[in-house]
């Protein structure tokens, strides 16, 4: 069935809002007021409300009494809980992906890594956040890793947790700047373990990959008061 103009408008506003939240142009804790949204995105209140409802269901937006919709605030407590959950779930899902993934799955992981490796992390005119292109390539690589898991319940849980972590990713430039850390090498090591079909090694690497980022963020965030409401993790 063909989509209506209303659905198309809502999807368009949703995509723009989501990109602006993930790109750091809308900050954690920022109020999302309908008059401003309608002017900025050239849309109606109805389309904006539907888009925000969808974003709320995905965890990017929350509602607060007397504030309405706001970009989801970030916190150390939430980061710690989210990190623990991701470490446990993603390591299991990746191990199962290696056990059940076929050659086509493996080729998809290799291709996604190639794109990630060739995509710029930042732009000169916006040094405070990863580029939208890198973020998309990064998400695609980790999605490719997990997609070989045949347990759909575990896979859905892992995907939901990763989606929740996307906001933290966008507020973690300091992690990308860490002098002794090489994110590209970490991703490369995970790929090598996948190609070697070393499930235990791959699970160990993904656990360390996620935990290292969260620990680093918490240790350095106190030096960045402007991010008190928006700490993040790149992994």
């Amino acid at each position: 069935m063909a989509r209506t103009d209303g659905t198309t408008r809502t999807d368009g506003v949703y995509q723009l809002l989501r990109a602006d939240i993930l790109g750091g142009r809308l900050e954690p804790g920022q109020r999302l007021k309908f008059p401003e949204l309608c002017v900025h995105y050239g849309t109606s209140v109805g389309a904006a409300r539907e888009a925000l409802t969808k974003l709320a269901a995905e965890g990017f937006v929350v509602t607060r009494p007397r504030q309405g919709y706001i970009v989801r605030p970030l916190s150390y407590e939430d980061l710690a809980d989210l990190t623990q959950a991701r470490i446990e779930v993603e390591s299991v899902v990746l191990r199962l992906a290696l056990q059940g993934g076929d050659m086509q799955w493996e080729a998809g992981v290799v291709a996604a890594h190639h794109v990630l490796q060739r995509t710029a992390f930042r732009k000169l005119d916006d040094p405070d956040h990863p580029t939208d292109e890198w973020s998309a390539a990064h998400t695609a690589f980790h999605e490719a890793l997990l997609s070989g898991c045949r347990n759909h319940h575990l896979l859905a849980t892992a995907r939901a947790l990763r989606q929740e972590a996307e906001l933290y990713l966008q507020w973690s430039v300091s992690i990308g700047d860490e002098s002794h850390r090489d994110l590209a090498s970490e991703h490369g090591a995970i790929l090598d373990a996948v190609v070697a079909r070393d499930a235990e090694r791959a699970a160990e690497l993904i656990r360390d990959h996620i935990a290292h980022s969260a620990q680093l963020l918490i240790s350095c965030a106190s030096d960045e008061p402007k991010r008190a409401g928006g700490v993040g993790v790149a992994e």
Side-chain angles (χ1 to χ4, degrees):
M1 184 174 69
R3 294 175 8 161
T4 66
D5 290 342
T7 301
T8 301
R9 285 195 298 272
T10 297
D11 287 347
V13 176
Y14 159 79
Q15 294 294 343
L16 291 172
L17 274 166
R18 189 177 189 276
D20 283 346
I21 291 171
L22 291 178
R25 293 176 287 276
L26 294 173
E27 300 184 5
Q30 181 174 337
R31 290 184 64 184
L32 300 171
K33 303 176 183 179
F34 285 110
E36 295 175 359
L37 295 177
C38 291
V39 171
H40 184 74
Y41 296 104
T43 189
S44 66
V45 172
R49 180 178 290 108
E50 290 183 31
L52 289 174
T53 298
K54 186 174 182 179
L55 288 166
E58 295 176 348
F60 293 114
V61 168
V62 298
T63 58
R64 291 286 188 268
R66 297 183 296 280
Q67 288 185 299
Y69 288 99
I70 64 173
V71 179
R72 177 185 170 188
L74 308 180
S75 71
Y76 298 137
E77 293 80 7
D78 182 59
L79 173 61
D81 289 346
L82 180 58
T83 299
Q84 181 181 31
R86 291 187 59 216
I87 285 173
E88 297 302 325
V89 175
E90 285 194 41
S91 60
V92 170
V93 170
L94 183 56
R95 187 181 290 110
L96 291 174
L98 276 161
Q99 294 173 3
D102 57 16
M103 189 64 68
Q104 184 176 1
W105 165 75
E106 183 180 314
V109 174
V110 172
H113 179 264
H114 180 76
V115 173
L116 176 62
Q117 189 178 37
R118 296 300 182 91
T119 303
F121 182 67
R122 277 188 291 253
K123 292 181 180 178
L124 293 178
D125 60 353
D126 186 17
D128 291 333
H129 302 99
T131 65
D132 291 349
E133 294 80 10
W134 186 89
S135 295
H138 181 256
T139 297
F141 173 64
H142 281 277
E143 166 61 23
L145 286 171
L146 302 178
S147 66
C149 176
R150 296 180 181 178
N151 186 314
H152 298 299
H153 295 289
L154 281 172
L155 181 57
T157 300
R159 285 170 169 166
L161 291 171
R162 282 202 57 79
Q163 183 164 269
E164 286 189 43
E166 283 298 313
L167 276 180
Y168 287 100
L169 168 64
Q170 302 306 320
W171 292 92
S172 59
V173 172
S174 57
I175 291 178
D177 287 337
E178 187 186 8
S179 60
H180 62 279
R181 188 181 191 191
D182 188 342
L183 281 172
S185 293
E186 290 183 25
H187 290 134
I190 294 170
L191 176 68
D192 290 344
V194 166
V195 172
R197 295 287 171 154
D198 188 339
E200 293 305 316
R201 175 62 175 163
E204 177 186 2
L205 287 170
I206 202 70
R207 291 171 69 95
D208 290 345
H209 190 54
I210 296 169
H212 180 109
S213 299
Q215 291 164 0
L216 175 63
L217 176 69
I218 291 173
S219 70
C220 70
S222 60
D223 297 327
E224 301 181 43
K226 68 178 181 177
R227 293 186 185 177
V231 294
V233 53
E235 38 60 49

